[in-house]
Amino acid sequence: MSDDVTQPNAWAELRRLTAARIGLARSGASLSTAPLLQFALAHAQARDAVHEALDEDKLAADLDALDLPVLKIASAVTDRAQYLMRPDLGRQLGQGADSVLAPHRGPYDVAVVVADGLSARAVQAHAAPVLHNILGALRRQDWRVAPLVIARHGRVAIGDAIAARLKADAVIVLIGERPGLSSPDSMGAYLTWQPQPATTDADRNCISNIRPDGIGYADAAFKIVALLQAMRVRRLSGVQLKDESDRLMLEQ
């Protein structure tokens, strides 16, 4: 009889393929020490991401390489604590934003807003490389792109007011998503055709989980550009506009 009392873990090979918590080892009714510590670490990373401040100067320097003017504004929120407690203020332009945007009034085909949202580290890491791919495609199609706008303490709907001030037909808002326990750096892209003060979330298209371990930069840019093209043709967005980018990708 063998002295080896350990059992082979059938989940080990599958766990290597995903960040999802599958087949976690247990000790009685509780998690064993290793997955319990990993869970606590992931929770701490998610909390840190929510409270982390956006390095606007570093982000502006990264975006400046994209050969468009970069404007910096803030929402009506005064600090991070208020941002978490008052979502309504994160949707409004702060003092001084109008004077920053007014000299750059269009018309444009599309405006791009980068907002910290609930994970500044997401846009800090992923906004520039995704925009590099998006702008390359839009320039080849002669889109008129407004100056890039960095919105501190911004929510998705702040893009509506920015697009209106810049006189843009559509707006892309790249924003840090609410951190998950395995994804503290996930970025979302919200696209809206002709945003207005009465625009609702039903009027937006969203591409979520943009990051190297989720939807990669090139694939995300392809989906965003495909949706913009469809918006311009059909002159609508949101639940009325089906995302057909997967089919287009397969046809290429």
Side-chain angles (χ1 to χ4, degrees):
M1 182 176 177
S2 172
D3 293 333
D4 186 0
V5 297
T6 61
Q7 296 291 323
N9 189 334
W11 290 93
E13 184 65 17
L14 294 175
R15 196 183 300 127
R16 189 176 60 83
L17 303 175
T18 176
R21 289 179 168 78
I22 59 174
L24 301 182
R26 290 187 171 276
S27 177
S30 303
L31 285 175
S32 62
T33 301
L36 184 62
L37 292 176
Q38 290 164 0
F39 183 88
L41 174 62
H43 188 250
Q45 289 173 329
R47 288 176 60 91
D48 286 349
V50 169
H51 294 283
E52 201 167 277
L54 178 67
D55 186 341
E56 294 177 62
D57 292 338
K58 172 67 167 57
L59 180 59
D62 292 343
L63 298 182
D64 195 51
L66 301 175
D67 201 24
L68 276 173
V70 179
L71 312 178
K72 292 192 287 186
I73 66 166
S75 71
V77 169
T78 56
D79 55 39
R80 198 65 182 167
Q82 189 183 50
Y83 177 80
L84 298 175
M85 299 293 291
R86 293 287 305 273
D88 57 318
L89 295 180
R91 302 180 186 114
Q92 302 171 23
L93 294 177
Q95 190 173 16
D98 275 327
S99 61
V100 173
L101 299 172
H104 299 275
R105 186 174 174 84
Y108 302 103
D109 296 312
V110 62
V112 180
V113 178
V114 181
D116 43 6
L118 289 170
S119 175
R121 70 175 62 176
V123 293
Q124 204 89 57
H126 310 317
V130 171
L131 281 174
H132 172 77
N133 287 278
I134 293 172
L135 295 178
L138 294 182
R139 283 170 173 148
R140 289 192 292 274
Q141 300 170 26
D142 296 325
W143 282 65
R144 297 168 297 173
V145 183
L148 306 177
V149 179
I150 297 174
R152 176 162 41 91
H153 297 322
R155 300 271 177 177
V156 171
I158 199 171
D160 301 343
I162 293 171
R165 301 298 195 280
L166 292 175
K167 204 176 178 184
D169 285 337
V171 64
I172 307 168
V173 178
L174 301 179
I175 190 167
E177 295 180 327
R178 185 185 307 277
L181 289 177
S182 60
S183 55
D185 64 337
S186 184
M187 185 176 77
Y190 290 80
L191 294 84
T192 312
W193 174 255
Q194 292 188 334
Q196 304 292 329
T199 294
T200 70
D201 288 344
D203 300 315
R204 311 185 197 284
N205 292 84
C206 176
I207 298 170
S208 182
N209 197 27
I210 300 172
R211 58 193 183 103
D213 291 333
I215 299 178
Y217 299 152
D219 287 347
F222 183 88
K223 285 178 172 290
I224 290 168
V225 172
L227 279 167
L228 286 173
Q229 292 170 326
M231 284 180 188
R232 187 153 72 164
V233 170
R234 301 187 60 188
R235 305 186 69 79
L236 51 79
S237 60
V239 296
Q240 300 181 78
L241 184 67
K242 182 177 176 58
D243 178 8
E244 298 182 328
S245 58
D246 288 340
R247 179 181 60 79
L248 297 174
M249 194 175 293
L250 290 174
E251 291 176 354
Q252 286 192 347

